[in-house]
Structures are given as C-alpha cells and as structure tokens.
Amino acid sequence: MGNSKSGALSKELLEDLKLNTKYTEQELSAWYQSFLKECPTGRVTEAQFQKIYSSFFPDADPKAYAQHVFRSFDANSDGTLDFKEFIIALHLTSSGKTIHKLEWAFSLYDVDGNGTINKSEVLQIVTAIFKMINSEDQKSLAEDENTPEKRTDKIWEYFGKKENDKLSEGEFIQGTMENDEILRLIQFEPQKVKEQLKKRNQ
C-alpha cells in the first residue's frame, strides 16, 4: 500500500476509494484509523477480517460467510487484504445492484474458482448466509425459503437450471439484473449491513 504504517491515507488512495465506493472522505479516514488500530501492519488476515465482520453481527455467526467474502477478495491468494481491498470488500458486500457488485457476487458463489457455479456451491454460500440471520428473523422468512436448501432450490429454479446444471457468469449477471427476487435471495439482507456500517462510523 505504501502508506500502511503512517496515520493518514495517501491522497491518491483517498481519491481512488472515493471514486470507486460510496464512502465519503470522512468515513474513509475513520475506517483507516480503525483499520490501523486493528491491523497495525497495514494488512488484514482472514482471522482479523472474520473478527471485524463478526462485530457487525453480534447476535449471529458470520464466520463462514466472512471466510467466503475474504476468499473472493484475496485476489493474489496471499492470505491478507490491504486497506483498499478491505474497503472495496465492505463496499461491494453492502446493498445495491451494479455490474461490479454482481461480478463480485459471482466470484463469491464460485467457491472452487472454476468459472461456473453449481447448485452445491449456491447451497454452501446460502448456508453461510443463514448463519448470519438470527433465529428470530429466520422465523419471519417465507415458507418456501426458510431453510438454506429451500432458498437454494428457489434460486436454482429462478435461473431455470436443473439439478446438475452449471451457471456461467454471464447467466448469473443477466438473471440477477432481470430479477430482483434472485438478487434478494443471493445476498444477506443488506439493510442490516448498512446499519452496522453506519453505526461503526459514527
């Protein structure tokens, strides 16, 4: 990163992140101070990332989901994220529907990184999402999507796929762009993440 040990963000990185995320200069500076406090080396390990992510969901277990999120952003597979990768991860995992976010969502669901998604990979991520929904909230889910298996079946049907079919990135993005129900089903209720991020930055 070049400025990982200093107490302030470089102007270039600040401008870059303002351009590519929804965060303000003030929010980014607050995140950076908090990041350096938790990760003085300027890099966050998977364990640290899970800990930070867990603080957003005190009444649930987001470890498995955080692990998948971390994997999808650790592009060079070195087991760490720098501040830029960390912020992009937070930005892309919060709400919204842009091509970038859907490309990221595809990489999240493509657990083995082979360029396609199968039904068992969808189940793996949906199961991790369910661990973040507390039992009280799970009770209010619709009958046909109140277990990871039911939600996975519903997603797979929306994409028009049979049990052993595979889903390409193009199909994934097109299907999700065209159907808000798919978007809702493949992500953790983003409002909660947004609320937690807001609280953390106050």
Side-chain angles (χ1 to χ4, degrees):
M1 266 192 329
N3 61 347
S4 57
K5 298 276 171 69
S6 73
L9 268 170
S10 74
K11 207 149 189 59
E12 295 83 357
L13 185 57
L14 193 57
E15 290 309 314
D16 185 19
L17 289 173
K18 271 164 57 183
L19 207 61
N20 291 298
T21 71
K22 60 185 171 21
Y23 302 121
T24 64
E25 191 165 329
Q26 194 181 355
E27 286 172 325
L28 288 167
S29 296
W31 270 112
Y32 190 60
Q33 293 311 316
S34 161
F35 181 82
L36 282 186
K37 210 180 293 172
E38 305 221 20
C39 318
T41 61
R43 302 195 73 84
V44 61
T45 63
E46 187 175 328
Q48 287 169 315
F49 185 80
Q50 283 183 1
K51 192 176 154 214
I52 293 165
Y53 219 87
S54 294
S55 69
F56 298 150
F57 306 99
D59 56 353
D61 177 15
K63 282 196 178 73
Y65 188 71
Q67 198 178 347
H68 287 297
V69 171
F70 188 91
R71 167 190 50 78
S72 69
F73 284 103
D74 183 14
N76 60 0
S77 304
D78 71 347
T80 65
L81 302 181
D82 64 18
F83 180 68
K84 182 178 178 179
E85 290 168 320
F86 175 73
I87 287 295
I88 298 287
L90 291 177
H91 169 68
L92 289 179
T93 54
S94 61
S95 66
K97 179 163 71 170
T98 66
I99 292 291
H100 283 317
K101 290 189 182 190
L102 297 181
E103 285 171 347
W104 166 72
F106 180 83
S107 73
L108 177 73
Y109 275 83
D110 180 14
V111 176
D112 64 8
N114 72 349
T116 61
I117 295 171
N118 62 37
K119 194 175 178 183
S120 71
E121 287 175 312
V122 174
L123 180 60
Q124 215 175 318
I125 302 298
V126 171
T127 301
I129 287 171
F130 262 72
K131 287 182 179 168
M132 296 198 299
I133 307 172
N134 66 39
S135 50
E136 208 45 54
D137 287 346
Q138 282 190 34
K139 287 178 194 162
S140 62
L141 293 172
E143 177 63 33
D144 64 346
E145 58 181 73
N146 63 3
T147 70
E149 292 74 16
K150 286 181 189 173
R151 186 176 277 210
T152 299
D153 286 343
K154 202 169 175 180
I155 291 167
W156 215 233
E157 279 164 29
Y158 271 132
F159 279 116
K161 294 293 177 185
K162 295 190 178 74
E163 194 67 25
N164 296 315
D165 285 349
K166 287 186 169 21
L167 192 59
S168 71
E169 185 174 14
E171 289 174 309
F172 179 86
I173 290 172
Q174 188 180 348
T176 313
M177 289 295 270
E178 290 171 358
N179 190 331
D180 283 341
E181 274 298 284
I182 295 179
L183 184 68
R184 182 181 66 75
L185 291 166
I186 64 165
Q187 61 186 358
F188 177 67
E189 325 309 321
Q191 194 52 40
K192 296 199 172 182
V193 180
K194 263 176 34 186
E195 284 163 13
Q196 294 297 337
L197 288 174
K198 214 176 237 163
K199 275 188 213 157
R200 196 180 172 96
N201 277 320
Q202 275 168 2

